């Protein structure tokens, strides 16, 4: 029997009653229809980098989407490049492909594990870039109607680590299963403007500058590796779901309860293709990592002192970054959840802010 721990980067999760690895769109649709026609619960998984399944596993069909391929589409009237990518395509390999073809935009999203089909679901982002900026449309299978449905960029209602695809998901089971993603890119050797100060410093440029996309990828991979955010079988800090909590977006009034030096960032409203929306004057984004650390949770929390009692040292905050919860060796899903609950409660006690988990949690509550 296939274990979900074998399919997820955190390497936790119980058995899958029925496991199907679908390498083609036809296989994906056939498996969905089999599940829905028999009333069998369905869990959809791609790279397993943003999912945590309970130790009880999943009593139903686990559909592992493994379709692969990148196809050129007719060039749009505005120029550039237009490509269609199968949902199971490895995201980081696609980023490398984009750089080789001078497609501008994804370089700052290098090193993010998972599949292309998962990126629009949570509007994947890093270092000031979000995938919504170059998604033209997403083709899905709508399980309620039994038909395919294509969403244009605006119809996906992208938000911070959010979309209509995520909001219509229940316990890891989506209404809309992503089949392909169409991207539209500008062409050029230089990256999109560098927006993130840390990345700009690493590159030796000012925010807003453009640099060679290959160099952006190189520096982003270095930064992510230094934080345990690039998968490495030799590094236990990478046995995680990456950032466990999203950066909270709060009303301006919430700042009254925070120290003046607490980092805060502008919030932008949804923007269109290639664009970023206007700034939201009523909300700010806080740093979840800063909140966690200043609530008393240091790197490696769970490995030493009284905190070992929470998960027996089997799970802890990363020793490189306070935002990741890692499987140190032999952790159960409940061990991961126990660390998450302790951190979440501590931040709420300290600052009155409740952190929201970023990964999809199946058959459990945090």
């Amino acid at each position: 029997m296939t274990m979900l721990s074998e399919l997820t980067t955190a390497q936790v999760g119980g058995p899958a009653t029925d496991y199907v690895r679908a390498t083609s769109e036809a296989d994906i649709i056939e498996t969905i229809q089999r599940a829905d026609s028999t009333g069998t619960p369905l869990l959809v998984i791609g790279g397993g980098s943003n999912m945590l399944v309970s130790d009880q596993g999943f009593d139903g069909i686990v559909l592992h989407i493994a379709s692969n391929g990148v196809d050129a589409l007719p060039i749009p009237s505005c120029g550039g490049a237009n490509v269609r990518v199968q949902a199971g395509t490895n995201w980081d390999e696609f980023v490398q492909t984009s750089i080789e073809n001078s497609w501008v935009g994804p370089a700052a999203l290098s090193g993010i594990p998972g599949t292309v089909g998962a990126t629009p679901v949570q509007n994947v982002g890093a270092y000031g870039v979000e995938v919504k900026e170059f998604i033209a449309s997403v083709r899905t299978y709508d399980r309620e109607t039994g038909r395919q449905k294509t969403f244009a960029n605006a119809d996906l209602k992208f938000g911070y680590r959010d979309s209509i695809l995520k909001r219509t998901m229940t316990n890891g089971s989506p209404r809309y299963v992503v089949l392909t993603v169409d991207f539209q890119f500008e062409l050029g050797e230089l990256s999109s403007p560098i927006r993130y100060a840390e990345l700009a410093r690493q590159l030796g440029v000012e925010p807003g500058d453009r640099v060679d996309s290959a160099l952006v990828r190189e520096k982003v991979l270095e930064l992510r590796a230094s934080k345990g955010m690039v998968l490495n079988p030799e590094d236990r800090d990478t046995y995680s779901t990456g950032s466990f909590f999203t950066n909270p977006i709060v009303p301006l009034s919430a700042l009254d309860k925070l120290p003046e030096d607490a980092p805060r960032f502008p919030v932008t409203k949804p923007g269109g293709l290639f664009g970023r929306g206007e700034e939201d004057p009523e909300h700010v984004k806080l740093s979840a990592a800063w909140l966690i650390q200043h609530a008393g949770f240091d790197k490696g929390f769970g490995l030493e002192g009284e905190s070992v009692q929470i998960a027996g040292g089997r799970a802890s905050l990363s020793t490189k970054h306070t935002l990741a919860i890692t499987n140190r060796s032999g952790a159960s899903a409940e061990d991961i959840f126990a660390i998450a609950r302790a951190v979440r409660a501590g931040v709420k006690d300290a600052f009155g802010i409740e952190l929201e988990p970023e990964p999809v949690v199946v058959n459990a509550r945090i």
Side-chain angles (χ1 to χ4, degrees):
M1 181 175 290
T2 300
M3 300 292 290
L4 271 303
S5 58
E6 301 168 10
L7 305 175
T8 57
T9 54
Q11 294 195 349
V12 298
T17 303
D18 185 355
Y19 169 71
V20 176
R21 186 176 185 271
T23 58
S24 70
E25 183 174 302
D27 290 342
I28 293 169
I29 293 174
E30 179 183 354
T31 303
I32 297 168
Q33 291 175 337
R34 174 164 68 91
D36 292 345
S37 65
T38 58
T40 304
L42 177 69
L43 177 66
V44 177
I45 190 169
S49 59
N50 197 50
M51 178 175 286
L52 290 168
V53 184
S54 75
D55 298 312
Q56 287 67 47
F58 190 80
D59 187 11
I61 296 174
V62 173
L63 170 58
H64 184 184
I65 294 182
S67 53
N68 186 58
V70 180
D71 297 305
L73 297 175
I75 298 174
S77 58
C78 59
N82 202 8
V83 296
R84 176 165 296 161
V85 187
Q86 297 295 317
T89 302
N90 179 279
W91 169 255
D92 191 53
E93 292 177 4
F94 175 63
V95 174
Q96 177 62 38
T97 298
S98 75
I99 293 172
E100 293 170 354
N101 286 276
S102 301
W103 302 337
V104 177
L109 303 182
S110 294
I112 294 176
T115 60
V116 167
T119 60
V121 176
Q122 69 166 120
N123 186 22
V124 161
Y127 298 106
V129 175
E130 292 180 317
V131 74
K132 71 176 183 182
E133 296 170 36
F134 28 86
I135 285 180
S137 63
V138 176
R139 188 165 57 89
T140 70
Y141 182 86
D142 182 352
R143 295 172 60 200
E144 286 196 8
T145 66
R147 298 179 179 178
Q148 293 186 31
K149 178 177 176 63
T150 298
F151 291 88
N153 182 291
D155 298 328
L156 288 160
K157 303 186 186 304
F158 284 123
Y160 170 62
R161 301 298 175 268
D162 195 22
S163 72
I164 193 172
L165 305 175
K166 186 174 181 178
R167 291 193 292 273
T168 51
M169 181 183 295
T170 303
N171 196 35
S173 188
R175 171 179 173 176
Y176 302 106
V177 180
V178 176
L179 301 173
T180 59
V181 182
D182 287 6
F183 294 92
Q184 188 174 335
F185 298 109
E186 296 174 335
L187 293 176
E189 297 297 325
L190 298 183
S191 69
S192 53
I194 304 300
R195 302 179 184 131
Y196 202 78
E198 182 184 23
L199 178 57
R201 288 193 298 271
Q202 189 82 352
L203 289 163
V205 301
E206 295 295 321
D209 288 349
R210 295 173 182 261
V211 299
D212 185 87
S213 292
L215 181 60
V216 173
R217 174 172 171 79
E218 177 185 331
K219 295 303 182 182
V220 166
L221 289 173
E222 289 178 5
L223 280 171
R224 292 185 64 88
S226 71
K227 300 174 182 179
M229 296 292 187
V230 175
L231 296 178
N232 178 356
E234 303 301 319
D235 184 356
R236 295 305 304 188
D237 278 328
T238 71
Y239 288 65
S240 74
T241 58
S243 297
F244 195 93
F245 296 105
T246 57
N247 291 322
I249 294 175
V250 299
L252 291 176
S253 58
L255 296 178
D256 296 339
K257 300 179 181 179
L258 295 174
E260 291 186 3
D261 63 344
R264 73 280 314 268
F265 308 95
V267 175
T268 55
K269 297 177 181 179
L273 192 66
F274 300 138
R276 292 166 63 82
E278 298 178 353
E279 188 171 323
D280 182 345
E282 299 179 354
H283 294 84
V284 293
K285 184 190 297 182
L286 304 177
S287 166
W290 186 95
L291 293 170
I292 290 168
Q293 186 168 1
H294 286 77
F297 300 95
D298 292 325
K299 299 172 186 176
F301 173 82
L303 292 177
E304 298 179 351
E306 294 182 0
S307 67
V308 173
Q309 300 175 19
I310 297 174
R314 296 178 296 274
S316 75
L317 293 184
S318 167
T319 64
K320 300 181 180 70
H321 197 282
T322 57
L323 202 49
I325 300 177
T326 61
N327 179 348
R328 308 313 302 183
S329 181
S332 65
E334 185 55 36
D335 290 332
I336 301 288
F337 299 149
I339 296 292
R341 293 183 190 115
V343 170
R344 195 182 196 191
V347 169
K348 187 171 184 179
D349 288 345
F351 301 112
I353 294 171
E354 188 160 58
L355 297 178
E356 293 298 327
E358 186 169 320
V360 175
V361 177
V362 181
N363 290 340
R365 297 180 67 87
I366 296 177

